[in-house]
Amino acid sequence: MSRAAFPENFVWGVSTSAYQIEGANVADGRGPSIWDTFLDSQTACDHYHRYAEDVGLLKDLGVTAYRFSVSWPRVVPGGSGRVNAAGLDFYEQLVDELLGAGITPYATLYHWDLPQALEDKGGWAVRDTAGHFADYARAVHDRLGDRVDTWFTVNEPWVSAFLGYGSGIHAPGRSSPADAFRSAHHLLLAHGLATGELRAAGASKVGLILNFSPVMTPGQVGDLSMELPEEDTEAVARIDTLIHRQFLEPVLRGAYPADLLPLVERTAGLDHIHEGDLADISRPIDLIGVNYYAPTVVQAQPSQPADPAYPGSAGILFCTVPTAVTAMGWPIVPNALPLLLRRLSREYPDTQLMITENGADFVDVITGDGIHDVDRINFIEEHLRALRVSIEEGARVSGYLLWSLLDCMEWADGYQRKFGLYHVDFATQRRRPKDSAYWYRDVIKRNGLGESRPKRPTLETVAARAGVSRATVSRVVNGEAAVSSEVRTAVMRAVQELGYVPNAAARSLVTRRTDSIALVLSVPRPGGEALTAAVVQYVTSVLEGAGKRITLMVADTAESHRRIVQHAEARLVDAVILLPPSTDRTDTLTERLIRTGLPTVLLGKPAIASLVPYVDVDNSGGAAAVTDHLLSAGRRHLGIICGPLDLVATQDRLTGHRTALERAGRHPLIATANLTMHAGAAAARQLLADNPRLDAIFATTDHLAIGALRAAREAGRRVPDDLAIAGFDDIDAASCTTPSLTTVQAPVADQAMALARLLLSRLEGRHTTSVIVPTRLVVREST
């Protein structure tokens, strides 16, 4: 077998999930799911009505397997009781279409779409849900078991439990560490009970799909053999237990890890783990589905609060690393896949494995002659080469199912993410193959990788298409004025048609590289000084580590703006980082820097929309999370203290708050203030006077929230008994108030790392888009 070939009978396929592609959310008796409640996605890819067309795409690819998921609320609308025959009819038709095309169906019974009726009764946090799942599994097998050989019970239970019930960023949007651990156990119990039902009904193969994200430190990303200090070793082991061993050990060894149980007991107690549960959970299975996208990178940091998605992770910092990333900001680390497979093969040598998800989100450029998604092809190829090495080493991997067939609804991220081999125009539902579809088809046909790799369109390719010289293309790319409008139009048309992304070589024809970066400090908003200082420190460290020199420049006067622009126009630096952009709509510094043609990135979303990429935190999502937290705690009369409404962050935080309230059928009570604690106290007094029943206040900054705490004390309101108060930013003082302040953490290190990566990507000529850094809800005594 050549180095590029895979074993004979290796399974090639793709994966999808019901909620992400089917649409038809109220058709033919389907009941609502938790995701219908969490967000609105009625149509998705309309696969429910277009399944025959999509099976045709699968046949064109030449796949031998297709992993789809069955929608529980489509089959059992109420979660238990009556089975909806029309729902089963759809899956029967899909399976028959697949078999007719020579494609083996792999059915996943649960891919996160819990019936809302069961969530209303407690969801995965209650034991009965596991029993209802087993009944549903039996109903699906009774209809499809004569045609489906391989059954996966649950997809990624960690995500359902800890993102759905812990951090609340997934449906059902609950934020309870105790419920997260209970849900994890009940999802495992559901798997075990369903396995018993499937076996009793004669199922040939049964498996479980887990998300795997090898846990490592930033240093290990570059050097897997690096020895770690004791504190980092403990941090890695603790997160590995939460992500991996919490699920692997009960399923494959019949016991929870000894280091997990004390953590569960402190957080949720152990009453939900009944005698006999582990015997059910550890029923023999035939394979483990491995979903791998990226590693989890951590290091010890004693002052760090626990991440809500990882209860018990206090003292551990979740890090970003300066490496290539996908459009979602996930680091691209193919060599972590062999590390993972070696570990699984060593610790569970009798377990058959299958890669059930692997793929990447990149920004796709639609051109006149196709969609040239070279980044996606390179990502898949690098991971397949890593997989090929693992198989040579003895890993028992039977197949590779790529995520995903179609661009689809990417859960809370909506339609902006593009993982598909086929582009979907969601307005028309037209499917268009990307270059990756043709490339993957060839891989499948030859049962292996080719010797050559796909290449990006080059400067020469663009020049030939436009009928000009390489130097002329480079001048257009760099925004040189001495090019006629006709030539510029021809070059830009060729760039668009070819999907060309300028690289450093294109720029170097007319630009002398200095390896210097201008770090331009605009005047930060009040309270933002600490963020700016910390970002400067982190960004400087990362860029200097990449061999760049930093030129600090202060933009505080019209004259300083003029000097900065002159510096850029003279090409004394290679790129500019502006932090933060001005909130003054009459300030043209950003626009003037863009016109210089230098790569520019911003910290914070600008007040005026532009094409310049920026890094910001998820202000809207963070505000929605803290609002949902207050609502889930039983608060019903919520007020918000907003900072100045001309600040983009304030606008986004107000939007997130309103959205969460609207989901709960409530309306916001709004007070505005400047950004001082004194103003926060005054606004809180006004809210309390106008709304005597007020039982919660969310302030868009921690300074305002601390002022609200002061006003509550003055008014004789007990916090949190009478009045819950939460802020945003997690400044140092937030943990020192009395009571300590619940807030939303906007990770400084993550923002800085993203800024540095974004700039380095621009310098390397990669296509770049703005990065929104996730926030983390930090629950303390004030709520």
Side-chain angles (χ1 to χ4, degrees):
M1 181 168 55
S2 73
R3 289 194 61 82
F6 279 74
E8 188 177 354
N9 298 321
F10 190 77
V11 176
W12 296 99
V14 296
S15 291
T16 64
S17 85
Y19 189 75
Q20 292 180 270
I21 67 169
E22 283 182 3
N25 289 354
V26 296
D28 299 329
R30 180 189 179 276
S33 79
I34 54 175
W35 279 97
D36 297 311
T37 304
F38 195 71
L39 53 83
D40 180 23
S41 174
Q42 289 293 320
T43 306
C45 303
D46 197 29
H47 174 74
Y48 187 78
H49 297 110
R50 299 170 184 266
Y51 69 89
E53 175 187 355
D54 292 339
V55 172
L57 302 181
L58 292 166
K59 187 174 182 180
D60 289 343
L61 283 174
V63 299
T64 55
Y66 174 55
R67 181 174 79 91
F68 63 95
S69 80
V70 179
S71 168
W72 188 350
R74 197 178 295 285
V75 173
V76 187
S80 62
R82 181 182 66 85
V83 174
N84 180 31
L88 286 171
D89 289 345
F90 166 71
Y91 294 107
E92 187 170 54
Q93 292 160 9
L94 171 61
V95 167
D96 287 346
E97 193 80 18
L98 289 167
L99 293 173
I103 299 167
T104 301
Y106 285 51
T108 303
L109 288 166
Y110 186 71
H111 200 129
W112 308 350
D113 48 356
L114 181 71
Q116 182 61 42
L118 293 182
E119 174 60 24
D120 293 342
K121 298 176 181 178
W124 285 113
V126 301
R127 186 178 185 84
D128 286 349
T129 304
H132 295 317
F133 178 74
D135 295 338
Y136 149 70
R138 182 61 180 258
V140 178
H141 188 276
D142 285 347
R143 177 69 78 91
L144 304 180
D146 59 334
R147 281 156 287 182
V148 176
D149 290 331
T150 302
W151 297 84
F152 291 108
T153 54
V154 176
N155 178 80
E156 298 185 350
W158 181 87
V159 174
S160 291
F162 291 94
L163 298 188
Y165 292 83
S167 69
I169 64 174
H170 273 209
R174 288 159 60 177
S175 302
S176 166
D179 282 348
F181 279 123
R182 294 186 191 104
S183 296
H185 178 73
H186 294 144
L187 280 154
L188 286 172
L189 181 61
H191 155 74
L193 296 176
T195 298
E197 290 292 330
L198 292 169
R199 293 292 192 202
S204 298
K205 294 181 181 178
V206 179
L208 172 69
I209 296 172
L210 300 176
N211 53 290
F212 288 92
S213 184
V215 187
M216 54 184 64
T217 64
Q220 286 180 311
V221 173
D223 180 6
L224 295 178
S225 64
M226 175 180 287
E227 292 189 11
L228 301 180
E230 183 177 345
E231 60 271 20
D232 281 348
T233 300
E234 189 280 330
V236 167
R238 198 184 337 158
I239 300 305
D240 179 67
T241 294
L242 288 169
I243 300 176
H244 301 131
R245 296 175 62 231
Q246 179 172 194
F247 300 94
L248 284 167
E249 298 288 292
V251 171
L252 298 178
R253 291 180 174 165
Y256 278 114
D259 54 338
L260 176 73
L261 289 176
L263 176 58
V264 176
E265 186 171 23
R266 286 196 303 272
T267 307
L270 297 176
D271 290 346
H272 59 286
I273 303 175
H274 293 192
E275 186 175 352
D277 283 359
L278 287 163
D280 285 325
I281 291 169
S282 60
R283 293 175 189 271
I285 57 175
D286 300 287
L287 73 167
I288 288 285
V290 174
N291 290 357
Y292 171 72
Y293 293 95
T296 296
V297 185
V298 303
Q299 64 186 39
Q301 184 165 309
S303 62
Q304 191 71 14
D307 186 314
Y310 303 85
S313 63
I316 297 175
L317 175 67
F318 289 81
C319 308
T320 55
V321 289
T323 187
V325 296
T326 68
M328 290 189 78
W330 293 352
I332 301 172
V333 189
N335 63 350
L337 180 58
L339 178 73
L340 164 66
L341 295 176
R342 280 195 293 270
R343 181 249 181 109
L344 293 175
S345 298
R346 180 180 66 252
E347 296 184 8
Y348 311 99
D350 298 327
T351 301
Q352 183 71 51
L353 306 173
M354 171 176 277
I355 307 298
T356 40
E357 286 184 28
N358 176 246
D361 165 40
F362 289 106
V363 176
D364 294 324
V365 178
I366 302 173
T367 71
D369 60 352
I371 303 171
H372 308 302
D373 57 334
V374 176
D375 285 328
R376 183 172 292 103
I377 294 172
N378 286 337
F379 178 97
I380 300 167
E381 179 170 16
E382 289 170 1
H383 284 78
L384 285 176
R385 291 189 185 280
L387 174 58
R388 183 66 187 78
V389 168
S390 299
I391 292 173
E392 278 189 336
E393 292 176 344
R396 299 183 60 197
V397 181
S398 61
Y400 177 86
L401 307 182
L402 186 147
W403 185 273
S404 178
L405 177 67
L406 304 169
D407 288 343
C408 60
M409 196 286 299
E410 184 56 30
W411 305 108
D413 282 339
Y415 296 102
Q416 64 177 315
R417 302 303 181 189
K418 309 297 180 184
F419 279 87
L421 296 172
Y422 287 84
H423 172 269
V424 177
D425 181 334
F426 292 103
T428 65
Q429 292 297 334
R430 179 188 177 189
R431 278 82 158 129
R432 293 183 62 183
K434 305 175 188 178
D435 284 359
S436 56
Y438 300 122
W439 177 86
Y440 191 47
R441 180 187 63 189
D442 292 342
V443 169
I444 295 169
K445 186 175 182 179
R446 72 170 73 95
N447 192 38
L449 298 164
E451 297 303 323
S452 62
R453 300 192 178 197
K455 301 188 184 305
R456 295 177 180 275
T458 64
L459 201 66
E460 291 79 3
T461 311
V462 177
R465 175 69 67 93
V468 298
S469 69
R470 292 175 72 247
T472 299
V473 174
S474 187
R475 289 189 179 93
V476 172
V477 165
N478 285 278
E480 293 288 303
V483 180
S484 71
S485 60
E486 294 82 5
V487 170
R488 186 180 303 278
T489 299
V491 170
M492 294 310 296
R493 182 185 304 116
V495 166
Q496 178 69 17
E497 289 174 351
L498 293 169
Y500 172 70
V501 178
N503 59 21
R507 301 187 187 283
S508 67
L509 285 175
V510 295
T511 305
R512 180 174 60 86
R513 299 301 293 268
T514 68
D515 284 329
S516 292
I517 308 297
L519 197 55
V520 178
L521 307 182
S522 184
V523 179
R525 64 174 173 82
E529 297 87 352
L531 170 64
T532 300
V535 169
V536 168
Q537 178 183 352
Y538 278 109
V539 167
T540 300
S541 175
V542 172
L543 291 178
E544 287 181 344
K548 308 298 180 185
R549 293 188 297 273
I550 305 301
T551 300
L552 284 174
M553 309 184 78
V554 178
D556 57 351
T557 65
E559 176 60 22
S560 67
H561 287 197
R562 186 186 66 78
R563 288 198 306 270
I564 290 165
V565 173
Q566 285 182 334
H567 202 78
E569 288 175 337
R571 294 301 193 265
L572 299 177
V573 292
D574 295 335
V576 177
I577 296 178
L578 179 59
L579 50 140
S582 174
T583 59
D584 183 354
R585 292 176 181 269
T586 66
D587 183 355
T588 61
L589 177 59
T590 302
E591 180 183 345
R592 291 159 67 194
L593 285 170
I594 295 166
R595 287 204 297 266
T596 68
L598 283 183
T600 301
V601 297
L602 311 176
L603 173 66
K605 186 163 67 174
I608 300 175
S610 73
L611 297 178
V612 180
Y614 61 84
V615 172
D616 202 359
V617 297
D618 186 5
N619 287 298
S620 178
V626 74
T627 305
D628 286 336
H629 166 69
L630 293 169
L631 291 167
S632 67
R635 309 292 173 166
R636 292 294 175 264
H637 304 283
L638 278 66
I640 180 172
I641 301 175
C642 295
L645 291 176
D646 61 339
L647 295 179
V648 177
T650 299
Q651 297 166 15
D652 288 347
R653 291 173 190 183
L654 177 58
T655 296
H657 177 70
R658 280 177 161 153
T659 300
L661 287 180
E662 287 169 3
R663 283 200 301 261
R666 301 192 172 275
H667 301 286
L669 305 170
I670 301 173
T672 58
N674 62 35
L675 293 171
T676 65
M677 294 182 189
H678 179 76
R685 292 188 199 101
Q686 190 63 50
L687 277 174
L688 290 167
D690 293 344
N691 306 277
R693 300 173 65 193
L694 197 74
D695 58 8
I697 291 176
F698 165 51
T700 58
T701 74
D702 286 343
H703 284 91
L704 295 174
I706 293 170
L709 284 170
R710 182 185 306 162
R713 283 195 299 272
E714 293 170 355
R717 300 292 294 271
R718 295 174 301 166
V719 179
D721 296 345
D722 301 334
L723 181 69
I725 296 178
F728 202 116
D729 289 330
D730 197 24
I731 63 175
D732 289 342
S735 62
C736 303
T737 58
T738 304
S740 58
L741 184 66
T742 288
T743 185
V744 177
Q745 184 186 70
V748 172
D750 289 2
Q751 294 175 71
M753 287 290 194
L755 265 177
R757 285 202 309 260
L758 196 59
L759 188 71
L760 291 172
S761 293
R762 297 211 75 193
L763 285 171
E764 292 168 4
R766 297 178 185 170
H767 185 85
T768 54
T769 58
S770 298
V771 177
I772 302 299
V773 177
T775 54
R776 300 168 185 154
L777 179 63
V778 181
V779 178
R780 298 196 181 102
E781 297 169 352
S782 69
T783 61

